[in-house]
């Protein structure tokens, strides 16, 4: 299987769904990303700010770069001028820094709020009630250089499909409930980022609008990062 045929197969599979494909290129060399680019793909996901900035410099400028990994506040500056969407916003402090760097870069930076849905303790993210509190207050409105466009979540890493489905369904439920209520002017619930190589089929069935897929496109990564 080649990168090109993997992308083509995934796009065919996603064709009649709401889900857009993010090719997760973390740890992959420029040549591999170039191969996906030459196959026509333009949406890539990275989980480290400096690695993303280096790849942005080296590759064509019509690529959409998505930040999907935990982002430290002191790294936001590396990606603020160009990042298309930050999926992994997990604190008010990080939102404030993204706003500050967005202002410096003269742009409004699209963000998703990462919600903790898995059983595992280690995953980053807001709890559902923290999201409700954040969105019902006025503090987000002060942040003129961010726009919240939806939610992101990661299911438990397990073979147990019904647990994964339940976790994705709970995130979709939160997403839908927020769409019913009144939201701050710079918040919209349009995008729901859920699903990776092992569980994207379930995520798509449960309403994902962005699947983040690495291994199923590029093969196994040499060094695992997280
Ligand atoms: C690495 C990563 C992915 C892609 O994982 P694969 O199993 O290689 O598809 C998706 N989302 C996040 C947040 C990741 O860090």
């Amino acid at each position: 299987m080649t990168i090109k045929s993997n992308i083509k197969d995934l796009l065919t599979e996603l064709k009649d769904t709401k889900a857009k494909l993010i090719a997760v290129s973390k740890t992959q060399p420029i040549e591999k990303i170039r191969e996906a680019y030459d196959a026509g793909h333009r949406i890539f996901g990275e989980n480290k700010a400096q690695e993303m900035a280096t790849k942005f410099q080296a590759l064509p400028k019509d690529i959409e770069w998505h930040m999907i990994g935990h982002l430290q506040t002191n790294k936001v500056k590396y990606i603020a001028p160009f990042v298309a969407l930050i999926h992994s916003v997990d604190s008010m402090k990080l939102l404030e820094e993204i706003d500050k760097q967005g202002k410096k870069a003269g742009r409004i930076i699209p963000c998703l709020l990462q919600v903790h849905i898995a059983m595992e303790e280690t995953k980053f993210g807001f709890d559902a009630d923290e999201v409700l509190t954040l969105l019902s207050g006025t503090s987000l409105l002060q942040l003129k250089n961010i726009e919240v466009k939806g939610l992101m979540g990661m299911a438990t890493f397990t073979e147990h499909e019904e647990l994964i489905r339940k976790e994705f369904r709970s995130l979709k439920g939160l997403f839908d409930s927020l769409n019913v209520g009144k939201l701050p002017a710079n918040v919209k619930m349009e995008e729901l980022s859920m699903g990776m190589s092992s569980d994207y089929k379930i995520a798509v069935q449960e309403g994902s609008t962005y699947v983040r897929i690495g291994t199923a496109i590029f093969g196994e990564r040499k060094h695992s990062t997280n």
Side-chain angles (χ1 to χ4, degrees), residues 12 53 61 113 115 138 140 149 166 192 194 205 224:
T12 303
K61 296 298 171 284
L113 303 178
V115 184
T138 55
L140 272 189
K149 301 199 73 170
K166 193 175 124 212
L192 187 56
M194 53 187 203
Q205 287 166 355
S224 86

Side-chain angles (χ1 to χ4, degrees), residues 22 24 26 46-47 68-70 87-88 114 152 154 157 195-198 211-217 219 221 225-226:
I22 299 176
V24 175
K26 63 188 187 195
E46 291 283 337
N47 71 340
I68 62 169
H70 179 65
H87 293 233
S88 42
Q114 181 170 355
M152 182 270 225
M154 289 169 84
F157 190 71
M196 18 210 285
S197 294
S198 56
V211 289
R212 311 176 307 267
I213 300 190
T215 313
I217 293 175
R221 284 176 292 276
T225 61
N226 259 312

Side-chain angles (χ1 to χ4, degrees), residues 138-203:
T138 55
S139 49
L140 272 189
L141 261 184
Q142 320 301 317
L143 308 180
K144 306 287 186 211
N145 289 80
I146 60 132
E147 181 184 26
V148 174
K149 301 199 73 170
L151 306 177
M152 182 270 225
M154 289 169 84
T156 303
F157 190 71
T158 173
E159 304 272 283
H160 186 184
E161 279 200 15
E162 283 316 304
L163 176 61
I164 296 171
R165 187 178 302 282
K166 193 175 124 212
E167 290 171 353
F168 285 149
R169 196 168 285 179
S170 77
L171 186 60
K172 176 66 155 70
L174 176 64
F175 178 84
D176 288 341
S177 73
L178 291 169
N179 254 326
V180 173
K182 189 167 154 34
L183 293 167
N186 56 351
V187 178
K188 296 193 179 61
M189 283 295 137
E190 295 172 346
E191 304 294 354
L192 187 56
S193 170
M194 53 187 203
M196 18 210 285
S197 294
S198 56
D199 57 18
Y200 74 89
K201 288 174 202 278
I202 304 172

Side-chain angles (χ1 to χ4, degrees), residues 18-190:
K18 293 195 203 76
K20 299 173 282 292
L21 176 63
I22 299 176
V24 175
S25 51
K26 63 188 187 195
T27 78
Q28 303 294 343
I30 299 292
E31 311 85 77
K32 292 267 184 91
I33 303 176
R34 171 69 76 171
E35 212 177 311
Y37 182 89
D38 289 342
H41 203 70
R42 294 293 181 270
I43 311 179
F44 293 90
E46 291 283 337
N47 71 340
K48 293 209 161 74
Q50 278 137 311
E51 185 176 340
M52 180 190 274
T54 303
K55 289 172 172 174
F56 165 77
Q57 290 299 338
L59 283 155
K61 296 298 171 284
D62 61 342
I63 289 177
E64 258 186 42
W65 291 101
H66 289 240
M67 174 50 66
I68 62 169
H70 179 65
L71 182 59
Q72 287 168 277
T73 50
N74 62 350
K75 305 282 171 69
V76 177
K77 57 178 182 280
Y78 298 119
I79 61 170
F82 67 89
V83 66
L85 181 63
I86 302 176
H87 293 233
S88 42
V89 175
D90 58 4
S91 71
M92 186 61 188
K93 184 168 151 253
L94 180 57
L95 271 175
E96 285 166 353
E97 179 63 18
I98 295 168
D99 180 64
K100 184 176 144 195
Q101 297 299 333
K103 191 173 201 164
K104 265 195 197 168
R107 59 186 298 248
I108 293 171
I109 300 183
C111 297
L112 303 180
L113 303 178
Q114 181 170 355
V115 184
H116 181 260
I117 54 171
M119 286 188 346
E120 290 141 326
E121 293 276 325
T122 51
K123 296 278 161 68
F124 295 101
F126 293 101
D127 290 327
D129 58 330
E130 292 173 330
V131 172
L132 292 172
T133 305
L134 184 66
L135 296 185
S136 61
T138 55
S139 49
L140 272 189
L141 261 184
Q142 320 301 317
L143 308 180
K144 306 287 186 211
N145 289 80
I146 60 132
E147 181 184 26
V148 174
K149 301 199 73 170
L151 306 177
M152 182 270 225
M154 289 169 84
T156 303
F157 190 71
T158 173
E159 304 272 283
H160 186 184
E161 279 200 15
E162 283 316 304
L163 176 61
I164 296 171
R165 187 178 302 282
K166 193 175 124 212
E167 290 171 353
F168 285 149
R169 196 168 285 179
S170 77
L171 186 60
K172 176 66 155 70
L174 176 64
F175 178 84
D176 288 341
S177 73
L178 291 169
N179 254 326
V180 173
K182 189 167 154 34
L183 293 167
N186 56 351
V187 178
K188 296 193 179 61
M189 283 295 137
E190 295 172 346

